[in-house]
Amino acid sequence: ISGVAVSGAAAILGLVSSLGAAALTVGQAIVNGLVAHGVDTVFGLPGAQIYGLFDAFHQAQLKVIGARHEQACGYMAFGYARSSGKPGVFSVVPGPGVLNASAALLTAFGCNEPVLCLTGQVPTQFLGKGRGHLHEMPDQLATLRTFVKWADRIEYPDNAPALVSRAFQEMLSGRRGPASLEMPWDVFTQRTQVAAVKPFDPLPAPQPDPDRIKQAADLIAGSKAPMIFVGSGAIEAREEILELAEMIDAPVVAFRSGRGIVSNAHELGLTMASAYKLWPKTDLMIGIGTRMELPTMSRWPYQPAGLKCVRIDIDPVELRRWPADAGVILDGNKFGNSAGQVDHDDLVMATAIAITCIQYENMNLMHTGDAYAEPQYEMLDMAARGGGPQAAGARSAFEEQLGQLGV
């Protein structure tokens, strides 16, 4: 029996070696996963539970940028993701460290940014025991899942490569968002045979519905005064959105995250104060990659009579939160750029609407009524005019604009 056991063990080791596995600490396996996904910078504040991970950062010569508070680590990772378009990664201790960083994770969740939090846990034998171990909290994983897109725990060393790949898959598929991985204190430094990291393909994208696209095109074709609202989900669709805006002579307005998709220097790129002047005559709002906060969440206090709505979004839940007359679920990954690569943005599929409109027969898309105002009209004058809900909305929009300018 002993000989059989020995030969069986040798066979298993041979199989592992043939699969390209190597003897690594689990901290090293996690870092290998980061490197395989293009990460070269990590923000972090080390502590006892994650020393094994920070040791692996050093061995891999990753650039580690420290801070004096966990919240700063999280927000630096958020800023990195926001400015670069690449996932931002940070590492902090469990319990109070994670809670200190929770504001940054929740901000990343609200802004749809791929931010990965790597944290520790109490030692395996203390999980769920409530013994008051250092930095223990009743259920850290459940807490994390309330403000990130996806979270899991690495409890077995060889699970590390797959779970790291899964974290990146979740962050970057569909509507982007933050993720978190935790690992018990004692597991970080365990050394074992770990398979090579293989990045996962993005999760399958939703298939476009031609009927919904036609419904949207019909509404656009019948509109006399459309207005386009854009958010962060439309950042990579700048050219397509501008093409659509010019085709239908529609102003483009953003609240926060979509600012700059169509420049305010363009005659159709309006500030929200400028756009509010046109709001009373608007008969169709087209939302592309946006929560539609400006026209639907009391920023603008009323909606014009007979207003219709087209929404283009990667997230089906958004269409439930604010139902549209024509809601189109589309994913930018269906379109390639001129180099044959796949675009990563959520909603380049706005192109589909533009293409549909171009091909739509007998459209009368030119406005025949009053010409749109120049975008840079005097906001103070607008805010001071008249009374009622329009004036209140104008003042609100003006105050928000000053706030964004730091005034």
Side-chain angles (χ1 to χ4, degrees), residues 37 165-166 168-170 172-173 198-205 333:
H37 288 87
S165 294
R166 179 72 190 283
F168 278 86
Q169 182 187 52
E170 289 286 346
L172 299 174
S173 294
K198 295 181 180 179
F200 293 166
D201 292 332
L203 295 172
N333 291 331

Side-chain angles (χ1 to χ4, degrees), residues 119-307:
T119 187
Q121 248 297 4
V122 298
T124 303
Q125 65 268 31
F126 289 92
L127 282 171
K129 297 294 178 62
R131 296 289 305 279
H133 203 283
L134 180 64
H135 291 180
E136 181 180 8
M137 57 188 293
D139 195 338
Q140 177 175 275
L141 188 58
T143 302
L144 280 165
R145 285 171 173 165
T146 64
F147 51 79
V148 298
K149 182 180 177 183
W150 179 89
D152 211 334
R153 178 188 299 149
I154 301 173
E155 297 200 46
Y156 182 71
D158 199 41
N159 287 345
L163 286 175
V164 170
S165 294
R166 179 72 190 283
F168 278 86
Q169 182 187 52
E170 289 286 346
M171 286 192 296
L172 299 174
S173 294
R175 185 173 186 163
R176 292 183 167 195
S180 182
L181 279 172
E182 67 172 29
M183 178 181 287
W185 188 339
D186 55 305
V187 179
F188 273 115
T189 54
Q190 291 179 8
R191 186 176 292 273
T192 186
Q193 298 285 338
V194 180
V197 178
K198 295 181 180 179
F200 293 166
D201 292 332
L203 295 172
Q207 296 299 309
D209 184 340
D211 291 337
R212 292 193 176 204
I213 291 177
K214 187 178 184 306
Q215 289 174 5
D218 287 341
L219 286 173
I220 293 172
S223 171
K224 300 297 183 183
M227 184 177 291
I228 299 173
F229 295 85
V230 293
S232 62
I235 286 176
E236 297 297 329
R238 293 180 178 89
E239 294 181 2
E240 292 82 4
I241 289 170
L242 181 57
E243 179 184 357
L244 175 61
E246 291 176 339
M247 186 184 308
I248 64 177
D249 194 23
V252 181
V253 59
F255 179 42
R256 290 194 179 104
S257 298
R259 292 174 64 84
I261 289 176
V262 173
S263 170
N264 290 154
H266 191 283
E267 61 182 358
L268 293 175
L270 303 193
T271 65
M272 57 187 175
S274 301
Y276 189 75
K277 186 177 181 181
L278 305 179
W279 185 235
K281 295 183 179 181
T282 301
D283 62 1
L284 176 68
M285 55 181 181
I286 305 170
I288 304 176
T290 172
R291 296 183 181 89
M292 305 286 285
E293 181 174 349
L294 200 59
T296 69
M297 293 173 63
S298 77
R299 296 285 178 178
W300 289 359
Y302 78 102
Q303 293 180 1
L307 181 71

